[in-house]
Amino acid sequence: MPASPPKHAPTAGTTTAPVPARRVHWLVRGLLWVAGLFAASVAALSIGVALALTVAYPNLPDVSELADYRPKLPLRVYSSEGALLGEFGEERRNLTPIDEIPKVMTDAVLAIEDARFFEHGGVDYRGMVRAALANLGRVKSQGASTITMQVARNVYLSSEKTFTRKIYEILLTFKLEHLLSKNQILEIYMNQIFLGNRAYGFAAASEAYFGKPLKSISVAEAAMLAGLPKAPSAYNPISNPKRARSRQLYIIERMEENGFISAQQAAEAKKEELKIRTGPDNTRVHAEYVAEMARQLIFSQYGNEAYTRGLNVYTTLNAAEQEAAYSALRRGIMDYERRQQYRGPEKFVQLPTAKQEVEDAVDDALANHPDNGDVVSAVVLEANSKKIVAARANGDVLEIVGEGLKPAQSGLSDKAAPNIKIRRGAVIRVVKTAKGAWEITQLPEVEGAFVAIDPRTGAIRALVGGFDFDKNKFNHAVQAWRQPGSSFKPFIYSAALEKGFTPATIVNDAPLFFDAGVTGGQPWEPKNYDGKYDGPMTLRTALAKSKNMVSIRVLQAVGTKTAQDWVTRFGFEADKHPAYLTMALGAGSVTPLQMATAYSVFANGGYRVNPWLIAKVTDHKGKVLSQTTAPSPADLPRAIEARNAFVMNSLLQEITRSGTAARAQATLKRSDLYGKTGTTNDSVDAWFAGFQPTIAAVTWIGYDTPRNLGSRETGGGLSLPVWISFMEKALKGVPVMEPDAPPGVVNSGGEWFYEEKVRIPGIAGASLDDRSATAPNAAPVAPPPQEERNRILDLFRN
């Protein structure tokens, strides 16, 4: 049997051609050259990286401070219960620890931004190669930045796309990964990233876009927020809802692909209808003037750091009482506005005929006429004497008929002037009535203020500085110096008690006339508000009826200089109340807060309190930086004797029972109410100042540029209803409190007297050391000397 040929031996009939030696030589050399070039490139790259590290690494920012992450945090102002009143700072941010951020939020972010975050060492090399190839091909990069790289960029670097910045970014990323844990890096990212609408971090964004805390967020809402880091403007659910929705759906799919949610959860999330907050935060307590006061106080202490340190300022404000004050004052001003002549639409615009064009025109017109609380703006689509049809900015079309047209009847008349005529294209204001119907109205020109304090401590419990802070930032409660009118009379009467007057003292309510010889200037003939004179009456009746002639005669007897000194005990400034007889009619200057402080002296039994607003300041971690403790009665200086306050309270209580403010007790059905109405000359200012032993409150209404409010407008008709409305809520559940009589007073025949013996039956005997009688624009003039007894009796005779 023949031997088999070798396995690799050529078989019969075949030939082999040897490979040329030269070809093998060049092939080997080529491979060696490629390997050498690759090795050289690697070596060069290594040397380059080493040099970069040697040169750049020492120049990198110190990232150790991120171990104790302290971003810019806004100044926040709260009520005493913790309700947010205001926020100040360039960046809205709620610093939230990683363990308090809901998992659904971090899952949504990881799904779209960095699914391998917990696996890589800070740099996703596959992503970098993909981005490099995309850049070489001049196509849009698919993104290669990890969360750690974004933190490095957002905290320390600019967003410019240069090779040098990218090297620094990578180096910083390595440094961060070495120094911080993954959870620390993720926490910084979740709090630092800008998400549009002035919101930094997802906690602030949840409040900004959904008006809810981050802990309450749903899968659908988390996906919507997770789409913002890439382009906060392009994917903003408020300004670009369609693009935001598209990205939200994509992120939900990514969450499902990465196993963060189930298919069922993804389906439900895609169907969920989100409630995006597009308007102002209507849930926040309306305390804009108070928030601004707090901001100014904190800025004066901390400077610009106040807006970045995350300070939390807790005020003395009671949130419920603040809302009651805000609503009461706005309602009072709008009630007054209904009685005014219609001034016409705010603007006229040309409306096209096409529906879509009309909607666009309405949007454009109302952009410059935003809603003012419950007083909303609208553009008239059609109008006649029976009906107005108007469109709002939100697309709603409303009808105004019947009673709702009454405030603007003059604008619907055929004879209405062009600037008043309500017609198609007119920009008007409307408000909803208590019955739910629409009523035409107008933004008020009149202003007002309300302030309430605790008379026992001076703590401010509610303060409204005007009708609307955005419309007029002037704080009338603390900045408006106005004449108090008759609301100032109690302080003159208080001085009279120390001169021997009693509530039973009889004084003549008869006309007075001061000629030029007495005044040293123009003749002065003061009058009672109603022009009527009722003859002799007791001080109690005179104050209850607010009789001007009696007040002037009382001040004559007390002495203007004595009275001027006396009112400073209540916190008034002497130079704001010249020592003339016009002081009896409240011709000086006060602020509403000053009046509340002064009436607190009566309310608390004669002690002087100083109003205060800031109760506590903490840092963002809750550490108390400063705190104010309410003063105890023993720490308060005495302004007047307890018996003076008690007798004055008796007189002020009579006013709310049977006098010019009788509506107070009749409406609130309680007897522990005290106060005084005030209407200045020509009805320029309308006041009511009063208290219950636990709260003193003052209302003022008037025009910024003083002018007549109307011949029939008074403090009792304008300001008292605001006070009653507030007290109705503030005193709910508060028991009636009647003070006990202090030492030094006795009750005789149903009237209160000082224990000292009355020297003239029915008429107070007073030791009057100041006998001056003065009038407006005149220096004090001393009348001819006469016996003290006769001078007191003259009050009755004249």
Side-chain angles (χ1 to χ4, degrees):
M1 195 173 171
S4 301
K7 249 182 184 181
H8 300 290
T11 57
T14 63
T15 59
T16 59
V19 178
R22 178 175 296 225
R23 185 176 177 184
V24 172
H25 174 73
W26 281 107
L27 182 61
V28 172
R29 287 186 65 183
L31 290 173
L32 290 174
W33 268 103
V34 170
L37 285 173
F38 179 76
S41 298
V42 170
L45 182 61
S46 299
I47 293 171
V49 170
L51 287 173
L53 289 172
T54 302
V55 175
Y57 201 85
N59 295 323
L60 293 176
D62 181 11
V63 299
S64 60
E65 62 184 20
L66 284 184
D68 183 22
Y69 175 58
R70 294 183 181 181
K72 289 182 180 180
L73 297 175
L75 167 69
R76 291 189 174 94
V77 182
Y78 298 92
S79 70
S80 59
E81 310 92 339
L84 184 63
L85 307 180
E87 191 175 42
F88 302 93
E90 294 180 3
E91 302 178 2
R92 293 177 180 169
R93 182 184 280 110
N94 297 327
L95 185 58
T96 309
I98 190 64
D99 56 358
E100 294 180 16
I101 298 175
K103 187 174 183 297
V104 66
M105 189 69 252
T106 56
D107 286 347
V109 170
L110 293 175
I112 191 62
E113 293 293 334
D114 193 354
R116 297 177 58 249
F117 173 71
F118 286 101
E119 300 169 15
H120 61 63
V123 177
D124 187 348
Y125 297 104
R126 286 181 295 179
M128 289 186 67
V129 171
R130 183 177 66 249
L133 292 174
N135 288 331
L136 287 173
R138 293 187 178 182
V139 297
K140 188 177 179 181
S141 171
Q142 299 302 305
S145 292
T146 64
I147 282 178
T148 311
M149 294 170 74
Q150 291 185 56
V151 169
R153 180 168 63 247
N154 284 315
V155 176
Y156 294 108
L157 302 174
S158 67
S159 59
E160 61 177 342
K161 293 184 178 182
T162 64
F163 181 76
T164 302
R165 188 202 59 78
K166 198 66 179 178
I167 291 294
Y168 271 94
E169 183 179 307
I170 294 172
L171 294 178
L172 271 174
T173 298
F174 289 144
K175 199 169 185 179
L176 287 172
E177 287 276 345
H178 175 72
L179 178 69
L180 305 176
S181 69
K182 286 288 189 179
N183 276 339
Q184 285 178 304
I185 295 171
L186 188 58
E187 179 180 294
I188 293 169
Y189 178 83
M190 300 295 283
N191 284 283
Q192 180 70 22
I193 194 75
F194 175 62
L195 300 171
N197 208 26
R198 283 181 54 213
Y200 288 76
F202 289 93
S206 181
E207 294 283 356
Y209 293 107
F210 302 122
K212 64 193 299 185
L214 188 62
K215 64 182 180 181
S216 305
I217 208 159
S218 68
V219 172
E221 291 166 335
M224 180 69 78
L225 295 182
L228 290 166
K230 183 178 181 181
S233 177
Y235 298 115
N236 187 312
I238 297 175
S239 57
N240 289 302
K242 289 184 180 179
R243 293 188 68 182
R245 171 65 173 165
S246 176
R247 185 158 175 81
Q248 177 213 27
L249 294 176
Y250 173 64
I251 292 174
I252 292 173
E253 292 172 358
R254 292 280 296 166
M255 292 177 73
E256 181 185 356
E257 291 172 9
N258 284 278
F260 292 132
I261 57 175
S262 65
Q264 182 180 349
Q265 286 177 304
E268 292 174 352
K270 289 179 180 179
K271 293 177 182 177
E272 182 179 335
E273 291 188 16
L274 303 188
K275 295 181 180 178
I276 306 297
R277 197 178 79 185
T278 57
D281 186 1
N282 294 322
T283 63
R284 183 175 294 184
V285 178
H286 287 285
E288 293 83 358
Y289 291 97
V290 173
E292 175 60 17
M293 289 171 65
R295 183 198 68 79
Q296 292 179 18
L297 290 170
I298 297 301
F299 180 79
S300 67
Q301 183 175 356
Y302 292 94
N304 287 325
E305 282 191 353
Y307 308 130
T308 60
R309 287 185 57 177
L311 299 177
N312 298 310
V313 182
Y314 293 89
T315 67
T316 57
L317 222 66
N318 179 283
E321 291 175 7
Q322 177 65 25
E323 278 299 299
Y326 173 82
S327 299
L329 182 62
R330 281 182 68 95
R331 191 182 309 115
I333 289 176
M334 291 307 298
D335 285 345
Y336 169 79
E337 195 59 50
R338 286 186 185 93
R339 300 192 291 272
Q340 307 312 301
Q341 186 173 0
Y342 187 63
R343 296 184 292 275
E346 295 179 15
K347 186 181 180 181
F348 295 96
V349 295
Q350 189 69 37
L351 292 181
T353 54
K355 182 179 179 182
Q356 184 58 51
E357 292 179 1
V358 168
E359 291 178 355
D360 293 341
V362 169
D363 289 343
D364 291 342
L366 298 185
N368 296 321
H369 297 266
D371 293 347
N372 189 293
D374 56 352
V375 183
V376 301
S377 56
V379 176
V380 175
L381 302 179
E382 58 179 274
N384 55 55
S385 60
K386 302 291 185 181
K387 181 176 70 174
I388 292 176
V389 178
R392 290 188 57 198
N394 62 4
D396 289 350
V397 175
L398 51 91
E399 289 189 0
I400 312 169
V401 296
E403 294 290 319
L405 298 174
K406 279 191 173 181
Q409 279 296 324
S410 59
L412 294 169
S413 170
D414 293 335
K415 298 179 181 179
N419 63 319
I420 296 176
K421 180 72 173 177
I422 299 174
R423 58 184 184 272
R424 180 177 169 83
V427 177
I428 62 172
R429 294 282 169 170
V430 295
V431 65
K432 261 192 176 176
T433 66
K435 297 180 180 179
W438 288 105
E439 179 181 82
I440 192 168
T441 187
Q442 55 192 347
L443 279 177
E445 293 182 344
V446 75
E447 273 293 353
F450 185 93
V451 60
I453 70 176
D454 188 331
R456 300 161 296 186
T457 65
I460 297 174
R461 292 171 59 170
L463 187 147
V464 186
F467 179 76
D468 183 80
F469 181 77
D470 291 331
K471 177 173 172 278
N472 187 349
K473 291 177 172 57
F474 184 77
N475 191 336
H476 301 83
V478 298
Q479 294 177 297
W481 290 91
R482 307 293 293 225
Q483 290 188 341
S486 295
S487 63
F488 196 75
K489 290 175 180 176
F491 307 107
I492 305 300
Y493 278 55
S494 173
L497 294 180
E498 299 305 307
K499 289 295 186 178
F501 284 81
T502 76
T505 300
I506 296 175
V507 180
N508 197 14
D509 175 36
L512 284 167
F513 177 78
F514 300 88
D515 60 30
V518 173
T519 66
Q522 296 294 321
W524 182 45
E525 187 177 9
K527 299 181 182 299
N528 286 327
Y529 172 77
D530 57 5
K532 299 177 181 179
Y533 304 94
D534 297 332
M537 62 178 60
T538 64
L539 254 64
R540 176 177 293 278
T541 301
L543 189 58
K545 292 185 176 183
S546 197
K547 290 293 186 176
N548 292 339
M549 301 303 104
V550 173
S551 295
I552 293 172
R553 285 186 165 91
V554 169
L555 181 55
Q556 279 183 300
V558 170
T560 55
K561 186 61 175 69
T562 298
Q564 184 189 45
D565 292 340
W566 183 261
V567 300
T568 61
R569 293 168 175 256
F570 297 87
F572 296 116
E573 301 169 30
D575 61 347
K576 298 282 188 182
H577 301 275
Y580 301 137
L581 285 180
T582 48
M583 191 194 313
L585 308 184
S589 297
V590 301
T591 67
L593 181 59
Q594 215 177 37
M595 288 292 279
T597 305
Y599 270 78
S600 293
V601 176
F602 294 137
N604 65 30
Y607 295 98
R608 169 82 178 276
V609 295
N610 289 316
W612 54 288
L613 179 64
I614 307 298
K616 182 173 66 175
V617 178
T618 73
D619 64 14
H620 71 282
K621 292 184 177 179
K623 179 183 177 183
V624 177
L625 303 179
S626 64
Q627 191 162 7
T628 302
T629 304
S632 65
D635 297 328
L636 296 174
R638 180 165 284 285
I640 59 177
E641 290 186 10
R643 65 178 186 172
N644 187 300
F646 180 81
V647 174
M648 282 306 306
N649 286 358
S650 173
L651 295 175
L652 294 171
Q653 187 179 38
E654 186 66 35
I655 296 172
T656 65
R657 187 187 70 83
S658 65
T660 55
R663 183 176 174 181
Q665 288 195 34
T667 303
L668 297 176
K669 310 297 182 185
R670 55 191 301 154
S671 60
D672 58 341
L673 303 175
Y674 314 79
K676 182 71 184 73
T677 54
T679 310
T680 60
N681 193 37
D682 291 330
S683 297
V684 169
D685 299 275
W687 294 82
F688 185 78
F691 58 89
Q692 189 269 352
T694 63
I695 188 165
V698 172
T699 308
W700 166 83
I701 291 176
Y703 289 98
D704 278 339
T705 301
R707 73 175 198 247
N708 189 284
L709 288 163
S711 59
R712 297 184 179 181
E713 304 294 353
T714 65
L718 269 178
S719 294
L720 176 60
V722 175
W723 189 90
I724 291 173
S725 178
F726 168 80
M727 285 295 192
E728 190 171 25
K729 294 180 176 64
L731 297 179
K732 190 174 183 179
V734 177
V736 174
M737 303 171 66
E738 295 280 4
D740 296 327
V745 295
V746 294
N747 190 286
S748 177
E751 188 56 272
W752 293 101
F753 300 90
Y754 285 1
E755 280 185 336
E756 293 91 314
K757 183 179 179 181
V758 179
R759 294 185 291 165
I760 306 173
I763 301 178
S767 175
L768 302 178
D769 53 7
D770 183 347
R771 300 173 180 273
S772 61
T774 57
N777 305 316
V781 178
Q786 54 184 306
E787 291 297 324
E788 174 184 309
R789 181 185 181 91
N790 290 337
R791 184 174 182 183
I792 296 296
L793 287 172
D794 280 343
L795 297 175
F796 175 79
R797 297 192 190 100
N798 298 326

